[in-house]
């Protein structure tokens, strides 16, 4: 009998810049305070890339962390590098090609842009490559230097974001491990609620904008709560499971209230949710792989666990997946 080829995550690594800004640090140069930020978002600190630290540097550091965990040979045979990012070092060449070059990989390389769910989208591409036989070993990275795009005069967005990177290796694993479901969606109608453009007029109110993040927080909040509920339920169903079968919920780390609403809707207890938003803020594509790495380090994931991943972001886009952890190195 021929076995179904199933892709899974076999190695991980993560990195966050050394520089940290607490809510109190922010309140020294903008009209905000720890109480407002922490009660509305759950964020207490965020890691911020240094002036000479870019998305490619963060991505490389996450892969170096992977090598530290599994040995340098972990990268042997990598035949594709995907970097999901909203903040590439340049329009071109791709950040992924910079990573490929740093590690001298004999691999293809490209960037993927799907806002915060970008890393889950990259996971889906890696899954398709591996399960179709196009690639054997895909490095799927989420890396973000979002604070370089922030308008530090806009307190409603500046307090939310941080920088970081997470790297995952995707390759074939044996049953019962691997990716069991993948839900991907987009609604471009809502693009006007969250965007960053180099120059031009605001889609919302016609004001001149330069290069910063522009967000209608309330609309994004409503969208996020709705789509986190629907897409997680779809992902669990597609995997042929129930909420009770989920061992750990690893959501996009944008806002603790959004995470809690999704958790309650799924009927999951607090101990089944990974929360890192307090330490990192929203670092977009890096948030889920970084949270996964934390959960592994904290001994919260064991072989055979069913993980539920979900993310939402600009586009508007969303992605959810269930995978069974294991079959690892
Ligand atoms: N400090 C103090 N006060 C502030 C701050 C701040 N940093 N920011 C805004 N305020 C003020 C506002 O000016 C407003 O004052 P007003 O009532 O006098 O006008 C008041 O606080 C309330 O503002 P709201 O917008 O109503 O606050 P809300 O409770 O909606 O929370 C928030 C705002 C946290 C941004 C919330 O809407 C949210 O989390 N939205 C989702 C954002 C998100 O997840 N984005 C990431 C998407 S992922 C991606 O693709 C990047």
């Amino acid at each position: 009998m021929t076995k179904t080829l199933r892709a899974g995550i076999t190695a991980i690594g993560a990195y966050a810049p050394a520089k940290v800004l607490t809510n109190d640090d922010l309140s020294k140069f903008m009209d905000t305070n720890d109480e407002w930020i922490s009660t509305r978002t759950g964020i207490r600190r965020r890691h911020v890339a240094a002036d000479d630290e870019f998305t490619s540097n963060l991505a490389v550091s996450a892969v170096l962390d992977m090598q530290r965990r599994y040995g340098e040979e972990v990268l042997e045979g990598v035949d594709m590098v995907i970097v999901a990012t909203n903040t590439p070092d340049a329009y071109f060449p791709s950040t992924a090609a910079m990573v490929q070059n740093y590690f001298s990989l004999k691999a293809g390389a490209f960037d993927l842009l799907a806002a915060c769910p970008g890393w889950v989208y990259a996971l889906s591409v890696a899954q398709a490559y591996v399960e179709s036989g196009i690639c054997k070993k895909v490095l799927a990275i989420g890396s973000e230097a979002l604070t370089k795009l922030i308008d530090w005069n806009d307190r409603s967005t500046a307090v939310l974001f941080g920088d970081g990177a997470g790297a995952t290796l995707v390759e074939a694993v044996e049953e019962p491990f691997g990716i069991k479901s993948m839900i991907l969606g987009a609604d471009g109608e809502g693009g006007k609620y969250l965007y960053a453009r180099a120059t031009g007029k605001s889609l919302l109110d016609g004001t001149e904008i330069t290069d910063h993040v522009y967000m209608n927080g309330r609309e994004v909040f409503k969208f996020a709560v709705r789509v986190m509920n629907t897409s997680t339920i779809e992902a669990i169903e597609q995997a042929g499971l129930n909420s009770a079968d989920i061992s750990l919920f690893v959501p996009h780390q944008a806002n603790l209230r959004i995470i809690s609403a999704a958790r309650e809707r799924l009927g999951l207890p607090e101990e089944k949710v990974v929360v890192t938003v307090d330490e990192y803020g929203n670092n977009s594509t890096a948030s889920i792989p970084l949270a996964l790495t934390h959960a592994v380090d904290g001994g919260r994931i064991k072989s055979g666990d069913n993980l539920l991943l979900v993310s939402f972001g600009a586009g508007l886009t969303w992605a959810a997946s269930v995978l069974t952890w294991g079959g690892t190195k």
Side-chain angles (χ1 to χ4, degrees):
M1 199 174 80
T2 49
K3 279 189 181 166
T4 318
L5 195 59
R6 204 191 278 285
I9 295 174
T10 58
I12 55 165
Y15 174 78
K19 184 178 168 190
V20 170
L21 280 182
T22 65
N23 293 344
D24 285 338
D25 292 333
L26 295 184
S27 67
K28 290 186 184 119
F29 63 91
M30 73 175 74
D31 182 14
T32 190
N33 55 74
D34 177 57
E35 203 271 331
W36 192 96
I37 302 171
S38 53
T39 53
R40 284 218 171 42
T41 70
I43 299 167
R44 295 188 179 274
R45 292 147 57 93
R46 69 283 293 140
H47 291 242
V48 177
D51 288 347
D52 60 352
E53 204 174 23
F54 296 94
T55 295
S56 63
N57 306 112
L58 305 182
V60 163
S61 295
V63 179
L64 288 171
D65 180 53
M66 180 187 282
Q67 284 188 314
R68 189 181 57 73
R69 289 161 184 271
Y70 303 87
E72 281 187 17
E73 61 279 9
V74 73
L75 296 185
E76 270 168 30
V78 166
D79 46 6
M80 184 61 70
V81 182
I82 309 173
V83 173
T85 185
N86 304 283
T87 51
D89 290 23
Y91 288 126
F92 57 84
S94 70
T95 311
M98 298 175 196
V99 176
Q100 172 277 321
N101 183 50
Y102 185 93
F103 292 100
S104 305
L105 300 171
K106 197 166 176 292
F110 67 97
D111 286 0
L112 184 155
L113 196 160
C116 297
W119 175 80
V120 186
Y121 270 70
L123 183 68
S124 78
V125 177
Q127 176 193 15
Y129 277 167
V130 167
E131 292 183 359
S132 65
I134 293 173
C135 296
K136 286 209 153 19
K137 228 171 157 178
V138 181
L139 203 45
I141 301 169
S143 186
E144 219 65 76
L146 255 177
T147 61
K148 294 187 193 301
L149 256 189
I150 278 169
D151 176 2
W152 290 102
N153 295 313
D154 178 4
R155 65 178 183 171
S156 65
T157 55
V159 302
L160 302 176
F161 298 103
D163 302 325
T168 46
L169 200 60
V170 180
E171 56 191 320
V173 292
E174 303 253 313
E175 290 278 0
F177 305 112
I179 300 166
K180 301 285 170 62
S181 67
M182 187 61 73
I183 305 294
L184 304 168
D187 174 11
E189 181 74 26
K192 56 184 180 268
Y193 296 134
L194 179 53
Y195 60 89
R197 289 189 309 186
T199 55
K201 281 198 190 308
S202 159
L203 300 181
L204 274 178
D205 58 15
T207 53
E208 281 296 333
I209 55 166
T210 51
D211 56 342
H212 63 259
V213 175
Y214 200 96
M215 182 175 73
N216 181 326
R218 281 188 186 168
E219 289 298 336
V220 175
F221 194 98
K222 280 190 281 179
F223 153 73
V225 170
R226 178 168 44 82
V227 87
M228 294 265 276
N229 290 335
T230 52
S231 63
T232 48
I233 289 165
E234 282 177 55
I236 293 169
E237 276 175 11
Q238 195 184 80
L241 299 173
N242 298 306
S243 288
D245 301 316
I246 300 301
S247 320
L248 201 63
F249 180 35
V250 192
H252 174 44
Q253 305 287 317
N255 184 314
L256 188 56
R257 288 189 290 151
I258 295 173
I259 293 172
S260 299
R263 178 187 64 73
E264 282 165 21
R265 197 68 180 261
L266 289 163
L268 296 174
E270 274 184 29
E271 61 269 19
K272 283 195 173 183
V273 185
V274 181
V275 175
T276 56
V277 69
D278 51 337
E279 173 65 25
Y280 298 109
N282 177 354
N283 51 28
S284 193
T285 57
S287 99
I288 292 181
L290 193 59
L292 270 177
T293 310
H294 266 260
V296 167
D297 287 346
R300 298 182 68 188
I301 303 181
K302 58 182 192 312
S303 186
D305 278 353
N306 293 317
L307 309 187
L308 172 63
L309 318 178
V310 64
S311 187
F312 64 90
L316 301 165
T317 54
W318 60 92
S321 178
V322 171
L323 61 89
T324 305
W325 191 257
T328 50
K329 304 216 162 315

